[in-house]
Amino acid sequence: MKRRTAREKAMQALFQMDISKVEPRDAISHVLDNEPQDAYLTNLVEGYVENQEKIDEEIKQHLEKWTMDRLANVDRNLLRLGAFELMFCKEDVPGNVVLDEAIEIAKIYGDEQSSRFVNGVLSKILQRYS
């Protein structure tokens, strides 16, 4: 599976976990829809779960006039995914790649403002962790 696809599916799994409160394994299984397991997808989802408090706190520090609860579900979970990669995967993935991928996924799944919003928040996190 390409990393872009793994990121999209990871965002979908985080979305399901956020909205429906399903377990990570169930969410991953559901988004895979009988496709083979993907190590990068699993790493993204489980990595976020293991570091949820730290990641959400980091995102909150960079939200201006917003709270986590007020964010669109897609934006919130895309920020979580991007923040995880920026904070914990910087040895494997360049920050600019994480940013570009998050922006492109936001254009597909978010509303017309999502890509700019995600870019703004993740850019601040990238500056802090680069």
Side-chain angles (χ1 to χ4, degrees):
M1 174 180 301
K2 292 183 179 181
R3 283 198 171 178
R4 163 71 67 84
T5 304
R7 287 182 179 97
E8 288 182 28
K9 290 190 180 295
M11 192 269 303
Q12 293 168 356
L14 292 180
F15 183 96
Q16 285 181 18
M17 291 162 47
D18 190 22
I19 302 304
S20 302
K21 309 299 183 212
V22 298
E23 293 296 316
R25 283 188 187 156
D26 295 335
I28 292 169
S29 177
H30 185 261
V31 298
L32 283 173
D33 195 32
N34 295 323
E35 292 179 48
Q37 283 287 346
D38 182 78
Y40 199 70
L41 163 63
T42 302
N43 180 54
L44 292 173
V45 174
E46 291 179 355
Y48 168 72
V49 170
E50 290 170 13
N51 299 285
Q52 181 173 356
E53 288 181 29
K54 185 174 182 178
I55 292 167
D56 284 358
E57 192 56 43
E58 185 67 33
I59 293 168
K60 288 176 193 175
Q61 291 178 25
H62 301 290
L63 295 177
E64 296 176 14
K65 302 177 187 172
W66 287 93
T67 63
M68 289 291 277
D69 294 341
R70 286 189 56 220
L71 296 178
N73 295 328
V74 167
D75 295 352
R76 180 174 50 248
N77 289 294
L78 192 48
L79 287 173
R80 287 171 167 167
L81 177 64
F84 169 72
E85 283 192 282
L86 291 172
M87 294 166 69
F88 297 97
C89 301
K90 54 187 169 190
E91 308 300 322
D92 299 331
V93 185
N96 290 337
V97 171
V98 172
L99 225 54
D100 291 345
E101 291 283 300
I103 292 165
E104 291 305 313
I105 294 170
K107 288 177 183 177
I108 296 168
Y109 293 97
D111 64 24
E112 57 191 45
Q113 300 298 317
S114 291
S115 60
R116 291 177 63 204
F117 179 73
V118 166
N119 182 29
V121 175
L122 291 180
S123 290
K124 292 173 187 175
I125 295 172
L126 173 60
Q127 287 176 353
R128 182 172 158 127
Y129 284 89
S130 59

